[in-house]
Amino acid sequence: MIMYLLRRLFLLVFVFIALSVFAFSLAYLFPGDPLQNFTGLRQISPEQYALLTSEYQLDKNYILQYLAYLSRIFSGNWGMSFSSQQPLLQEMKMLLPATLELASYALLISFFIGIPIGILSAIKPDGVFSKLVSAVAVAGYSIPIFWWALLLIMLFSLGLGWLPTAGRIGVLYEINHVTGFMLLDILLAATQHQHEALLDALSHLILPTLVLATFPTTVMVRFTRDSILEVWEQSYIKAARAKGLSRGQVLYRHALRNALLPVIRQIGLQFSTLITLAMITEVIFSWPGIGRWLIDSIYQRNYPAIEAGLLVISTLVISVNMLTEILHTLFNPLARKR
């Protein structure tokens, strides 16, 4: 087990080095002066140029430049944003929790809805309920997320007027940024209208969370159903049924744990998909997250922000996938023997 963890740690370090090399190379691949792409400064005087060139070691070979780039990354000097001229690390600290909040709630919905429905549909795979679930899952898997988002906005926001169309909270409420997670910040804030602000934030959260959770929920339903049906054909399940145990007892005592082991890995894969889909969701619902910020940076040709955003998002996704792999190994006795 220790050797497995060391291998995973080594792989994570290797992947981070590869991602950082790619982000470092973007400063030269993007148009413009590499020094401006590294620093984010739009106007650099000749004196500053010479000083920054020496500080960033751009007058040295690429290996020393890359080592200096890594040193700046770990020290928190990520450069400035072209558009706002604010430190990139400070902007990402403000925006990343909004994306994580949206993705986390969507993942929880897919977990607590998708897995039970997948289990129920696997009990009688040829029944009406199972066929109905399969049809809905295929439809949810195939619906384009932007079309689904606009459809829900037209129905619940413009048509019925039940839910807001954009933002995280109404303009009437001013919540201090403590953790970046809106619901938690509202609970931590000692405001007079805390209850109203919480309800308002929840109403803003419902539509984007449902839109973002649609795809992973349908995937989780299908994957859980197929995993249980595969385990159901194993010899130890047939032996348990031959002993006279009911279908529910066999499912609860023997099949469920083994069937859900591959689902742990699927959670990590769905998180990477959620981060990608969150970019589209954030644009449609004007959600102030890092995905919308990154897309705006692409339109604005904000090259330092693109470099930093790609590095942060890629590292986050790979770290979550590594964590789910480690959890799968901890819960799976066969994987621990590798």
Side-chain angles (χ1 to χ4, degrees):
M1 184 63 187
I2 296 178
M3 291 302 299
Y4 174 82
L5 293 176
L6 291 176
R7 288 198 302 268
R8 289 297 173 182
L9 180 61
F10 175 77
L11 181 59
L12 181 61
V13 173
F14 175 78
V15 172
F16 174 78
I17 292 175
L19 291 174
S20 61
V21 169
F22 175 71
F24 168 79
S25 304
L26 289 178
Y28 289 94
L29 297 175
F30 285 142
D33 187 7
L35 181 60
Q36 287 185 318
N37 293 337
F38 277 125
T39 61
L41 298 175
R42 290 178 294 187
Q43 301 293 333
I44 304 177
S45 64
E47 295 79 10
Q48 276 186 311
Y49 194 93
L51 183 62
L52 291 173
T53 299
S54 176
E55 180 182 348
Y56 281 59
Q57 299 192 19
L58 297 184
D59 52 348
K60 306 293 179 56
N61 58 57
Y62 289 119
I63 295 179
L64 293 178
Q65 292 180 34
Y66 170 71
L67 293 177
Y69 172 77
L70 280 183
S71 177
R72 295 194 302 272
I73 291 297
F74 288 115
S75 64
N77 181 16
W78 290 56
M80 311 288 284
S81 170
F82 272 165
S83 59
S84 64
Q85 288 297 286
Q86 296 296 320
L88 287 171
L89 187 59
Q90 180 180 344
E91 286 194 355
M92 288 187 292
K93 285 181 178 179
M94 296 290 292
L95 298 171
L96 184 59
T99 300
L100 293 179
E101 182 179 41
L102 187 60
S104 300
Y105 294 147
L107 189 62
L108 287 175
I109 288 177
S110 66
F111 186 82
F112 287 107
I113 293 180
I115 292 179
I117 292 179
I119 294 172
L120 293 176
S121 63
I123 295 178
K124 293 183 178 181
D126 297 326
V128 177
F129 178 76
S130 179
K131 293 180 179 178
L132 179 62
V133 167
S134 298
V136 173
V138 171
Y141 183 85
S142 306
I143 292 177
I145 186 172
F146 59 88
W147 182 84
W148 179 234
L150 295 175
L151 187 64
L152 291 183
I153 289 175
M154 291 177 60
L155 177 60
F156 292 104
S157 299
L158 302 180
L160 299 175
W162 291 351
L163 299 172
T165 59
R168 294 182 76 187
I169 194 170
V171 295
L172 297 177
Y173 306 100
E174 185 176 352
I175 305 299
N176 295 327
H177 185 279
V178 180
T179 64
F181 292 85
M182 181 57 68
L183 299 184
L184 183 58
D185 286 348
I186 293 174
L187 294 176
L188 293 176
T191 59
Q192 182 179 1
H193 305 285
Q194 185 183 63
H195 181 69
E196 292 81 359
L198 186 62
L199 292 178
D200 187 78
L202 286 172
S203 66
H204 281 80
L205 187 63
I206 290 175
L207 277 186
T209 303
L210 289 178
V211 169
L212 190 57
T214 300
F215 180 85
T217 301
T218 56
V219 172
M220 201 69 73
V221 168
R222 298 174 62 186
F223 192 85
T224 303
R225 179 181 181 275
D226 294 341
S227 180
I228 291 179
L229 291 179
E230 182 179 353
V231 170
W232 203 256
E233 299 298 326
Q234 300 297 320
S235 300
Y236 67 92
I237 297 295
K238 296 179 180 179
R241 295 182 65 183
K243 292 179 180 179
L245 296 177
S246 65
R247 194 180 186 92
Q249 289 175 325
V250 174
L251 178 65
Y252 177 74
R253 295 182 183 179
H254 302 283
L256 195 57
R257 179 180 178 183
N258 294 318
L260 292 182
L261 284 176
V263 178
I264 298 178
R265 283 183 173 178
Q266 192 67 20
I267 293 174
L269 295 175
Q270 290 309 309
F271 184 81
S272 60
T273 306
L274 280 174
I275 293 298
T276 305
L277 296 177
M279 296 184 181
I280 305 174
T281 307
E282 288 177 2
V283 171
I284 295 175
F285 289 97
S286 298
W287 189 267
I290 197 170
R292 180 190 173 195
W293 173 77
L294 185 57
I295 292 179
D296 289 341
S297 300
I298 294 174
Y299 283 120
Q300 298 166 358
R301 298 183 181 180
N302 191 351
Y303 302 129
I306 297 173
E307 298 169 21
L310 290 176
L311 181 61
V312 168
I313 292 177
S314 302
T315 304
L316 176 65
V317 169
I318 292 173
S319 300
V320 171
N321 277 275
M322 289 288 183
L323 179 61
T324 54
E325 285 286 339
I326 293 173
L327 290 176
H328 177 265
T329 304
L330 291 175
F331 289 116
N332 189 356
L334 296 177
R336 291 200 294 266
K337 296 180 181 179
R338 297 177 183 176

